[in-house]
Short mmCIF file of all heavy atoms in Angstrom, two decimals:
data_model
loop_
_atom_site.label_atom_id
_atom_site.label_comp_id
_atom_site.label_asym_id
_atom_site.label_seq_id
_atom_site.Cartn_x
_atom_site.Cartn_y
_atom_site.Cartn_z
N PHE A 36 12.58 -97.70 20.19
CA PHE A 36 11.20 -97.23 20.18
C PHE A 36 10.90 -96.53 21.50
O PHE A 36 9.92 -96.84 22.17
CB PHE A 36 10.24 -98.40 19.98
CG PHE A 36 10.43 -99.15 18.68
CD1 PHE A 36 11.21 -100.29 18.63
CD2 PHE A 36 9.83 -98.71 17.52
CE1 PHE A 36 11.37 -101.00 17.44
CE2 PHE A 36 9.99 -99.40 16.32
CZ PHE A 36 10.77 -100.53 16.29
N ASP A 37 11.74 -95.55 21.84
CA ASP A 37 11.60 -94.90 23.15
C ASP A 37 10.22 -94.30 23.36
O ASP A 37 9.68 -94.32 24.46
CB ASP A 37 12.69 -93.84 23.33
CG ASP A 37 12.70 -92.79 22.23
OD1 ASP A 37 12.12 -93.03 21.15
OD2 ASP A 37 13.31 -91.72 22.45
N TYR A 38 9.58 -93.79 22.30
CA TYR A 38 8.28 -93.15 22.43
C TYR A 38 7.19 -94.14 22.81
O TYR A 38 6.16 -93.77 23.38
CB TYR A 38 7.91 -92.44 21.12
CG TYR A 38 7.76 -93.37 19.93
CD1 TYR A 38 6.52 -93.87 19.55
CD2 TYR A 38 8.89 -93.76 19.20
CE1 TYR A 38 6.40 -94.73 18.47
CE2 TYR A 38 8.76 -94.62 18.12
CZ TYR A 38 7.51 -95.11 17.76
OH TYR A 38 7.41 -95.97 16.70
N ILE A 39 7.38 -95.45 22.50
CA ILE A 39 6.41 -96.46 22.88
C ILE A 39 6.49 -96.74 24.37
O ILE A 39 5.47 -96.95 25.05
CB ILE A 39 6.63 -97.76 22.08
CG1 ILE A 39 6.30 -97.54 20.60
CG2 ILE A 39 5.80 -98.92 22.64
CD1 ILE A 39 6.54 -98.75 19.72
N PHE A 40 7.70 -96.69 24.91
CA PHE A 40 7.92 -97.05 26.31
C PHE A 40 7.90 -95.83 27.24
O PHE A 40 8.04 -95.99 28.46
CB PHE A 40 9.25 -97.80 26.45
CG PHE A 40 9.26 -99.12 25.74
CD1 PHE A 40 9.60 -99.21 24.38
CD2 PHE A 40 8.90 -100.29 26.39
CE1 PHE A 40 9.60 -100.42 23.73
CE2 PHE A 40 8.91 -101.51 25.74
CZ PHE A 40 9.25 -101.58 24.40
N GLU A 41 7.76 -94.64 26.69
CA GLU A 41 7.71 -93.42 27.49
C GLU A 41 6.52 -93.46 28.44
O GLU A 41 5.40 -93.84 28.04
CB GLU A 41 7.59 -92.20 26.56
CG GLU A 41 7.56 -90.87 27.27
CD GLU A 41 8.83 -90.60 28.04
OE1 GLU A 41 9.91 -90.55 27.42
OE2 GLU A 41 8.73 -90.46 29.29
N THR A 42 6.74 -93.11 29.69
CA THR A 42 5.66 -93.13 30.68
C THR A 42 5.10 -91.74 30.96
O THR A 42 4.00 -91.62 31.49
CB THR A 42 6.15 -93.75 32.00
OG1 THR A 42 7.30 -93.03 32.47
CG2 THR A 42 6.51 -95.22 31.78
N GLU A 43 5.86 -90.70 30.62
CA GLU A 43 5.39 -89.33 30.82
C GLU A 43 5.39 -88.60 29.49
O GLU A 43 6.22 -88.85 28.62
CB GLU A 43 6.30 -88.59 31.82
CG GLU A 43 6.31 -89.21 33.21
CD GLU A 43 7.22 -88.44 34.15
OE1 GLU A 43 7.72 -87.36 33.75
OE2 GLU A 43 7.44 -88.92 35.27
N ASN A 44 4.44 -87.70 29.34
CA ASN A 44 4.31 -86.90 28.10
C ASN A 44 4.28 -87.79 26.86
O ASN A 44 4.94 -87.52 25.86
CB ASN A 44 5.47 -85.90 28.00
CG ASN A 44 5.53 -84.95 29.17
OD1 ASN A 44 4.50 -84.43 29.60
ND2 ASN A 44 6.73 -84.75 29.71
N ARG A 45 3.50 -88.87 26.94
CA ARG A 45 3.41 -89.80 25.83
C ARG A 45 2.75 -89.16 24.63
O ARG A 45 1.78 -88.40 24.76
CB ARG A 45 2.60 -91.05 26.24
CG ARG A 45 3.36 -92.04 27.07
CD ARG A 45 2.48 -93.23 27.41
NE ARG A 45 1.86 -93.85 26.25
CZ ARG A 45 2.47 -94.71 25.45
NH1 ARG A 45 3.71 -95.08 25.69
NH2 ARG A 45 1.84 -95.22 24.40
N TYR A 46 3.26 -89.48 23.46
CA TYR A 46 2.60 -89.07 22.23
C TYR A 46 1.28 -89.83 22.13
O TYR A 46 1.26 -91.07 22.24
CB TYR A 46 3.48 -89.37 21.02
CG TYR A 46 2.82 -89.08 19.69
CD1 TYR A 46 2.46 -87.79 19.33
CD2 TYR A 46 2.53 -90.12 18.80
CE1 TYR A 46 1.83 -87.53 18.13
CE2 TYR A 46 1.90 -89.87 17.60
CZ TYR A 46 1.55 -88.56 17.26
OH TYR A 46 0.92 -88.31 16.07
N PRO A 47 0.14 -89.15 21.92
CA PRO A 47 -1.15 -89.83 21.98
C PRO A 47 -1.37 -90.89 20.92
O PRO A 47 -2.21 -91.78 21.08
CB PRO A 47 -2.16 -88.68 21.83
CG PRO A 47 -1.40 -87.57 21.19
CD PRO A 47 0.00 -87.69 21.70
N GLY A 48 -0.61 -90.85 19.82
CA GLY A 48 -0.76 -91.85 18.76
C GLY A 48 0.13 -93.05 18.92
O GLY A 48 0.07 -93.98 18.10
N ALA A 49 0.95 -93.09 19.96
CA ALA A 49 1.89 -94.20 20.14
C ALA A 49 1.16 -95.44 20.63
O ALA A 49 0.21 -95.35 21.41
CB ALA A 49 2.99 -93.82 21.12
N PRO A 50 1.60 -96.61 20.19
CA PRO A 50 1.04 -97.85 20.76
C PRO A 50 1.52 -98.01 22.19
O PRO A 50 2.54 -97.43 22.60
CB PRO A 50 1.60 -98.94 19.86
CG PRO A 50 2.89 -98.39 19.35
CD PRO A 50 2.66 -96.90 19.21
N SER A 51 0.80 -98.78 22.96
CA SER A 51 1.23 -99.05 24.33
C SER A 51 1.48 -100.54 24.50
O SER A 51 0.82 -101.37 23.86
CB SER A 51 0.19 -98.57 25.34
OG SER A 51 -1.07 -99.18 25.10
N VAL A 52 2.42 -100.87 25.36
CA VAL A 52 2.80 -102.26 25.57
C VAL A 52 2.84 -102.58 27.06
O VAL A 52 3.07 -101.69 27.89
CB VAL A 52 4.17 -102.59 24.93
CG1 VAL A 52 4.12 -102.40 23.43
CG2 VAL A 52 5.28 -101.75 25.54
N THR A 53 2.62 -103.83 27.37
CA THR A 53 2.82 -104.35 28.71
C THR A 53 3.98 -105.32 28.64
O THR A 53 3.95 -106.30 27.88
CB THR A 53 1.56 -105.08 29.22
OG1 THR A 53 0.46 -104.18 29.19
CG2 THR A 53 1.77 -105.56 30.65
N ILE A 54 5.03 -105.03 29.41
CA ILE A 54 6.29 -105.78 29.30
C ILE A 54 6.27 -107.02 30.19
O ILE A 54 5.93 -106.95 31.37
CB ILE A 54 7.48 -104.88 29.70
CG1 ILE A 54 7.57 -103.67 28.78
CG2 ILE A 54 8.78 -105.68 29.69
CD1 ILE A 54 8.56 -102.62 29.28
N HIS A 55 6.67 -108.14 29.60
CA HIS A 55 6.86 -109.38 30.34
C HIS A 55 8.26 -109.90 30.03
O HIS A 55 8.53 -110.31 28.90
CB HIS A 55 5.84 -110.43 29.95
CG HIS A 55 4.41 -110.02 30.20
ND1 HIS A 55 3.76 -110.27 31.39
CD2 HIS A 55 3.52 -109.38 29.40
CE1 HIS A 55 2.53 -109.80 31.32
NE2 HIS A 55 2.36 -109.25 30.12
N GLU A 56 9.16 -109.84 30.99
CA GLU A 56 10.51 -110.38 30.79
C GLU A 56 10.47 -111.89 30.96
O GLU A 56 9.87 -112.40 31.91
CB GLU A 56 11.48 -109.76 31.79
CG GLU A 56 11.76 -108.28 31.53
CD GLU A 56 12.81 -107.73 32.48
OE1 GLU A 56 13.41 -108.52 33.25
OE2 GLU A 56 13.04 -106.50 32.45
N VAL A 57 11.09 -112.58 30.03
CA VAL A 57 11.11 -114.04 30.09
C VAL A 57 12.54 -114.54 30.08
O VAL A 57 13.47 -113.86 29.61
CB VAL A 57 10.31 -114.66 28.91
CG1 VAL A 57 8.86 -114.24 28.98
CG2 VAL A 57 10.91 -114.30 27.58
N GLU A 58 12.71 -115.72 30.62
CA GLU A 58 14.02 -116.36 30.67
C GLU A 58 13.91 -117.76 30.09
O GLU A 58 12.86 -118.41 30.20
CB GLU A 58 14.54 -116.44 32.10
CG GLU A 58 14.75 -115.09 32.77
CD GLU A 58 15.24 -115.25 34.19
OE1 GLU A 58 15.87 -116.30 34.50
OE2 GLU A 58 14.99 -114.34 34.99
N ALA A 59 14.98 -118.21 29.49
CA ALA A 59 15.00 -119.55 28.90
C ALA A 59 14.61 -120.60 29.93
O ALA A 59 15.03 -120.54 31.09
CB ALA A 59 16.37 -119.85 28.32
N SER A 60 13.78 -121.54 29.51
CA SER A 60 13.35 -122.70 30.29
C SER A 60 12.37 -122.38 31.41
O SER A 60 11.94 -123.29 32.13
CB SER A 60 14.56 -123.45 30.88
OG SER A 60 15.44 -123.84 29.85
N LYS A 61 11.98 -121.11 31.56
CA LYS A 61 10.99 -120.74 32.58
C LYS A 61 9.65 -120.52 31.89
O LYS A 61 9.45 -119.52 31.20
CB LYS A 61 11.43 -119.50 33.35
CG LYS A 61 12.65 -119.75 34.23
CD LYS A 61 12.93 -118.57 35.14
CE LYS A 61 14.10 -118.87 36.07
NZ LYS A 61 14.38 -117.73 36.99
N ASP A 62 8.75 -121.47 32.09
CA ASP A 62 7.45 -121.41 31.42
C ASP A 62 6.69 -120.14 31.79
O ASP A 62 6.81 -119.63 32.91
CB ASP A 62 6.59 -122.62 31.82
CG ASP A 62 7.18 -123.94 31.39
OD1 ASP A 62 8.04 -123.95 30.49
OD2 ASP A 62 6.78 -124.97 31.96
N PHE A 63 5.89 -119.66 30.85
CA PHE A 63 4.95 -118.59 31.14
C PHE A 63 3.65 -118.91 30.42
O PHE A 63 3.57 -119.85 29.61
CB PHE A 63 5.50 -117.21 30.74
CG PHE A 63 5.79 -117.04 29.27
CD1 PHE A 63 4.83 -116.55 28.39
CD2 PHE A 63 7.05 -117.36 28.74
CE1 PHE A 63 5.10 -116.39 27.05
CE2 PHE A 63 7.33 -117.19 27.39
CZ PHE A 63 6.34 -116.70 26.54
N TYR A 64 2.61 -118.14 30.74
CA TYR A 64 1.28 -118.43 30.19
C TYR A 64 0.71 -117.21 29.50
O TYR A 64 0.83 -116.09 30.01
CB TYR A 64 0.34 -118.88 31.31
CG TYR A 64 0.68 -120.24 31.87
CD1 TYR A 64 1.70 -120.37 32.81
CD2 TYR A 64 0.02 -121.38 31.44
CE1 TYR A 64 2.03 -121.61 33.32
CE2 TYR A 64 0.35 -122.64 31.95
CZ TYR A 64 1.35 -122.74 32.89
OH TYR A 64 1.69 -123.98 33.39
N VAL A 65 0.12 -117.42 28.35
CA VAL A 65 -0.63 -116.38 27.64
C VAL A 65 -2.07 -116.85 27.55
O VAL A 65 -2.36 -117.85 26.87
CB VAL A 65 -0.05 -116.12 26.23
CG1 VAL A 65 -0.92 -115.13 25.48
CG2 VAL A 65 1.38 -115.60 26.32
N GLU A 66 -2.94 -116.19 28.29
CA GLU A 66 -4.36 -116.54 28.35
C GLU A 66 -4.56 -118.04 28.60
O GLU A 66 -5.35 -118.72 27.95
CB GLU A 66 -5.08 -116.08 27.09
CG GLU A 66 -5.02 -114.57 26.91
CD GLU A 66 -5.98 -114.04 25.86
OE1 GLU A 66 -6.77 -114.84 25.31
OE2 GLU A 66 -5.95 -112.83 25.61
N GLY A 67 -3.77 -118.55 29.55
CA GLY A 67 -3.90 -119.94 29.97
C GLY A 67 -3.11 -120.95 29.16
O GLY A 67 -3.09 -122.13 29.50
N ASN A 68 -2.45 -120.50 28.11
CA ASN A 68 -1.67 -121.39 27.25
C ASN A 68 -0.20 -121.39 27.67
O ASN A 68 0.44 -120.33 27.67
CB ASN A 68 -1.78 -120.93 25.80
CG ASN A 68 -3.22 -120.97 25.30
OD1 ASN A 68 -3.85 -122.01 25.26
ND2 ASN A 68 -3.75 -119.82 24.92
N LYS A 69 0.31 -122.56 28.00
CA LYS A 69 1.70 -122.65 28.48
C LYS A 69 2.69 -122.56 27.33
O LYS A 69 2.57 -123.26 26.34
CB LYS A 69 1.93 -123.96 29.24
CG LYS A 69 3.32 -124.04 29.87
CD LYS A 69 3.50 -125.26 30.74
CE LYS A 69 3.86 -126.48 29.93
NZ LYS A 69 4.32 -127.61 30.78
N ILE A 70 3.68 -121.70 27.50
CA ILE A 70 4.74 -121.49 26.51
C ILE A 70 6.09 -121.68 27.20
O ILE A 70 6.33 -121.14 28.28
CB ILE A 70 4.65 -120.09 25.88
CG1 ILE A 70 3.29 -119.91 25.20
CG2 ILE A 70 5.79 -119.85 24.91
CD1 ILE A 70 3.04 -118.51 24.68
N THR A 71 6.95 -122.45 26.56
CA THR A 71 8.29 -122.68 27.10
C THR A 71 9.32 -121.98 26.22
O THR A 71 9.45 -122.31 25.04
CB THR A 71 8.62 -124.18 27.14
OG1 THR A 71 7.63 -124.86 27.92
CG2 THR A 71 10.00 -124.42 27.74
#
């Protein structure tokens, strides 16, 4: 889905994402909710 992750000359109809890399056993939070 290269067009979604494109930072220059983006197609105006493409969805946009914010990337969060996660690793096994390292907790993270989504709106205050802990996920393992």
Side-chain angles (χ1 to χ4, degrees):
F36 299 95
D37 56 342
Y38 63 95
I39 292 178
F40 295 86
E41 181 63 60
T42 56
E43 298 180 7
N44 301 316
R45 282 180 53 81
Y46 175 64
S51 58
V52 298
T53 302
I54 299 169
H55 300 271
E56 291 184 6
V57 298
E58 298 179 26
S60 303
K61 292 189 177 181
D62 297 341
F63 62 91
Y64 291 81
V65 175
E66 299 193 4
N68 299 299
K69 186 174 83 168
I70 301 174
T71 303

